[in-house]
């Protein structure tokens, strides 16, 4: 990655990390300061695990998992190790999302509130189920050694599209959930009267949008992509890359390919190899 490009990457990554971490602080402050706190007792404090685990797991950890291959200082690590980190973070996000589902269903059942009546719950549950499917297919395709390379390559566009679509849907579902919760729980003053809690939680929603927008930006820059294994290997064996600090700039010549049409001689090779995920 060229130095200029690397600086842009760092700025976007830092703002995304800040937005994500501040979102976690905001959701904790929401439930601990404005609401009933956290407990596992069938009451409102059990419901509160729902937004908390969603923001930490389904949004922050999933967002991190999505961009983990893009971090230049991991490029000297093996692809297999990065796959385990990507899959592990996604698995953790899934587990936290499932616990957050248990919390809200438990709370509804204890309070005799009907289940699955809202658009939020329909799109939300669909996202959790499809995420589970994405996880199983991801493991089957990219962690099983017997899966043919041609299947891996053919499935990759669907995997990437599916992942980005799910991540975006999860943010949209969270915004619906936040709005519902504010409308249900604020009375005297009501949501429409903009009490401090309403403003605070609206800002949480904005932070989630900013986090989502930046993660999607990072994940869709071709010039920020992890170079293919073959190119990393060539640079290592040719003595081109000795330590991790050199990996970024040294690879810029090979991997900063805006798109397929601009591939030159060496670049054509790197473009071709990039289509062969392993
Ligand atoms: C309920 C999923 C995020 C607030 C539900 C239900 C599901 C669900 C399936 C139905 C539970 C039942 O019928 O017993 C999700 C998913 C989310 C998410 C997948 C992740 C994106 C949030 C967030 C909030 C929230 C961030 C903010 C507080 C609510 C509320 C309910 C609820 C108020 C009860 C009303 C209803 O069923 O719509 N959620 N939720 N949700 N969720 Fe979420
Ligand atoms: C790439 C999402 C699970 C293996 C990606 C990308 C996304 C994504 C958005 C594109 C990243 C980029 O372009 O830099 C997800 C989601 C998952 C999931 C949401 C879980 C629900 C898995 C699992 C594996 C896996 C379990 C198994 C190892 C890969 C591989 C790539 C990839 C090999 C290509 C990385 C590259 O060559 O740049 N994933 N993924 N994914 N994912 Fe997943």
């Amino acid at each position: 990655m060229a130095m200029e490009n690397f600086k842009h990457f760092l700025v976007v990554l830092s703002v995304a990390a800040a937005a994500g971490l501040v979102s976690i602080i905001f959701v904790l402050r929401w439930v601990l300061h404005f609401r009933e706190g956290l407990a596992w007792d069938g009451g409102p404090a059990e419901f509160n695990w729902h937004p908390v685990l969603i923001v930490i797991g389904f949004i922050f950890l999933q967002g991190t998992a999505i961009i983990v291959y893009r971090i230049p200082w991991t490029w000297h690590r093996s692809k297999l190790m990065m796959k385990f980190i990507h899959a592990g973070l996604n698995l953790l996000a899934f587990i936290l999302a499932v616990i957050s589902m248990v919390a809200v269903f438990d709370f509804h059942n204890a309070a005799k509130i009907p289940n699955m009546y809202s658009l939020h719950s329909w799109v939300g549950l669909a996202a959790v189920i499809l995420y589970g499917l994405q996880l199983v297919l991801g493991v089957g395709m990219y962690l099983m050694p017997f899966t043919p390379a041609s299947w891996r390559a053919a499935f990759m566009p669907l995997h990437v599209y599916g992942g980005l679509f799910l991540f975006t849907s999860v943010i949209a579902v969270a915004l619906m959930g936040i709005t519902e919760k504010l409308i249900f729980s604020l009375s005297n003053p009501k949501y429409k009267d903009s009490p401090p809690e309403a403003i605070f939680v609206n800002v949480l929603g904005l932070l989630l949008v900013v986090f989502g927008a930046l993660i999607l930006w990072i994940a869709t820059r071709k010039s920020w992509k992890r170079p293919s294994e073959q190119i990393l290997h060539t640079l290592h064996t040719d003595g081109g890359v000795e330590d991790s600090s050199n990996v970024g700039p040294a690879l810029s010549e090979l991997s900063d390919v805006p798109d397929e049409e601009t591939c030159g001689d060496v670049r054509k090779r790197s473009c071709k190899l990039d289509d062969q995920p392993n």
Side-chain angles (χ1 to χ4, degrees), residues 30 50 54 101 105 108 115-118 120-121 124 170 177 180:
W30 182 21
H50 181 60
I54 290 291
M101 295 293 115
F105 275 90
H108 271 200
N115 290 319
M116 297 304 296
Y117 67 86
S118 63
H120 165 77
S121 61
V170 165
E180 275 189 358

Side-chain angles (χ1 to χ4, degrees), residues 182-183 186-199 202:
L182 289 173
I183 293 172
L186 291 175
S187 58
N188 202 21
K190 292 182 163 176
Y191 190 19
K192 69 179 166 60
D193 300 319
S194 294
E197 179 179 347
I199 310 281
N202 282 356

Side-chain angles (χ1 to χ4, degrees), residues 39-231:
W40 201 270
D41 57 2
E46 182 170 334
F47 168 84
N48 290 343
W49 280 111
H50 181 60
V52 166
L53 294 178
I54 290 291
V55 171
I56 296 177
F58 222 18
I59 297 181
F60 185 74
L61 290 183
Q62 182 185 179
T64 309
I66 284 176
I67 53 127
V68 89
Y69 292 110
R70 303 275 173 155
I71 301 171
W73 49 96
T74 68
W75 288 349
H76 68 293
R77 302 256 166 233
S78 77
K79 182 72 177 270
L80 185 64
M81 181 200 257
M82 296 318 294
K83 284 194 208 174
F84 275 120
I85 293 175
H86 175 75
L89 286 170
N90 275 312
L91 177 66
L92 196 57
F94 180 68
I95 292 170
L96 296 187
V98 170
I99 300 173
S100 96
M101 295 293 115
V102 176
V104 72
F105 275 90
D106 224 31
F107 164 68
H108 271 200
N109 294 339
K112 306 234 173 336
I113 301 168
N115 290 319
M116 297 304 296
Y117 67 86
S118 63
L119 176 61
H120 165 77
S121 61
W122 291 11
V123 184
L125 193 63
V128 175
I129 293 168
L130 290 174
Y131 192 81
L133 185 67
Q134 168 96 347
L135 204 53
V136 171
L137 287 173
V139 171
M141 286 287 172
Y142 304 111
L143 282 181
M144 295 297 131
F146 49 78
T147 306
S150 60
W151 289 23
R152 294 181 177 196
F155 185 68
M156 190 42 81
L158 199 61
H159 181 81
V160 174
Y161 173 79
L164 297 179
F165 177 72
L166 279 170
F167 178 67
T168 312
S169 307
V170 165
I171 301 229
V173 171
L175 298 183
M176 280 196 258
I178 286 173
T179 307
E180 275 189 358
K181 181 65 180 172
L182 289 173
I183 293 172
F184 295 156
S185 57
L186 291 175
S187 58
N188 202 21
K190 292 182 163 176
Y191 190 19
K192 69 179 166 60
D193 300 319
S194 294
E197 179 179 347
I199 310 281
F200 184 80
V201 181
N202 282 356
V203 174
L204 166 62
L206 278 180
L207 285 167
L208 295 179
V209 172
V210 170
F211 177 71
L214 295 176
I215 293 293
L216 290 176
W217 179 258
I218 295 174
T220 50
R221 290 316 85 206
K222 271 201 169 164
S223 58
W224 292 354
K225 225 172 134 46
R226 180 188 163 97
S228 72
E229 288 304 88
Q230 286 88 338
I231 286 172

Side-chain angles (χ1 to χ4, degrees), residues 238-254:
D238 290 355
V241 181
E242 288 309 328
D243 69 82
S244 62
S245 60
N246 286 334
V247 171
L251 286 169
S252 62
E253 304 310 313
L254 296 164

